[in-house]
Amino acid sequence: MRKPHQVIFINGPRRSGKDTAANCIMKEFVNVRHKKFAGSMKHALRAFFGLDDATWKALEIDSSNEFKLLPLPQLFGMTWVEALIWFSEDVMKPKFGLDVFGNVLVTDMRKPTSTALTVISDCGFTDELFPIIHSYGAANCHMFQLFRDGHTFEGDSRHYISKEDLPSDVKWYIINNDFELDMYKRQILIRTNTILEMDRTFD
């Protein structure tokens, strides 16, 4: 009998290692897909503001977040981060509810797939998790909560998710990203290996 589809939520502030963790899982395991709550929002804003290919690429590869925090003339003086927060908090959520991005994402995730695991790497709001949890079952959902010295949610509308706010069947993993990169990746891979019930080793 095939194991139910598993979901990994990744929760942590900017530069805590969220995309590094997701990319590491994608590289080392097969039948895995990477999703983001903000994916549809980013593409909508790109179209709305008419961002050219060069600016879009610069935003997408900006792992340091320096470019994303610069006011841009294409955004009428807003930073990319400010534009995302504005669209999320002032446009979408007041109109469609606090769980709107969860509902949008779960609709996309329900499309036929051969994958065994979905990694969602930009979790920062409790309400948007519930459509995913209700669709896949709390027992098949796992929270990777990342901590890294000197990195907080200051200036961000997102926050650390509280374990008490989610169903008790959601599995919780606290991960420290203050080690060397290889050690950090090893923590991610060992936990993913357990979730997928595989017998791989990462020495």
Side-chain angles (χ1 to χ4, degrees), residues 13-148:
R14 295 190 191 102
R15 302 199 68 187
S16 61
K18 298 188 295 296
D19 283 338
T20 297
N23 291 335
C24 180
I25 294 170
M26 293 289 293
K27 180 179 179 181
E28 294 293 335
F29 295 94
V30 297
N31 297 327
V32 179
R33 60 183 177 178
H34 180 196
K35 298 287 187 179
K36 292 189 176 186
F37 286 108
S40 59
M41 176 170 58
K42 289 179 179 179
H43 288 286
L45 284 177
R46 181 191 183 185
F48 180 77
F49 287 107
L51 297 182
D52 57 87
D53 290 344
T55 301
W56 177 251
K57 183 176 180 180
L59 290 168
E60 285 295 285
I61 66 173
D62 181 26
S63 59
S64 68
N65 287 305
E66 292 180 4
F67 189 56
K68 293 173 185 174
L69 295 173
L70 289 177
L72 298 177
Q74 301 97 314
L75 304 177
F76 301 99
M78 284 193 296
T79 70
W80 182 238
V81 170
E82 288 172 338
L84 291 171
I85 292 174
W86 160 73
F87 189 70
S88 170
E89 305 304 311
D90 294 343
V91 179
M92 295 298 289
K93 290 182 181 179
K95 178 66 176 179
F96 300 109
L98 297 177
D99 59 354
V100 57
F101 294 107
N103 287 321
V104 170
L105 181 56
V106 82
T107 298
D108 176 58
M109 289 172 62
R110 285 175 181 152
K111 296 174 184 176
T113 179
S114 61
T115 56
L117 170 68
T118 300
V119 180
I120 306 174
S121 64
D122 62 343
C123 304
F125 300 102
T126 305
D127 294 279
E128 64 190 11
L129 303 182
F130 282 99
I132 313 295
I133 293 171
H134 291 156
S135 182
Y136 289 90
N140 300 311
C141 294
H142 313 263
M143 175 65 74
F144 285 10
Q145 195 161 68
L146 310 182
F147 292 86
R148 190 177 186 186

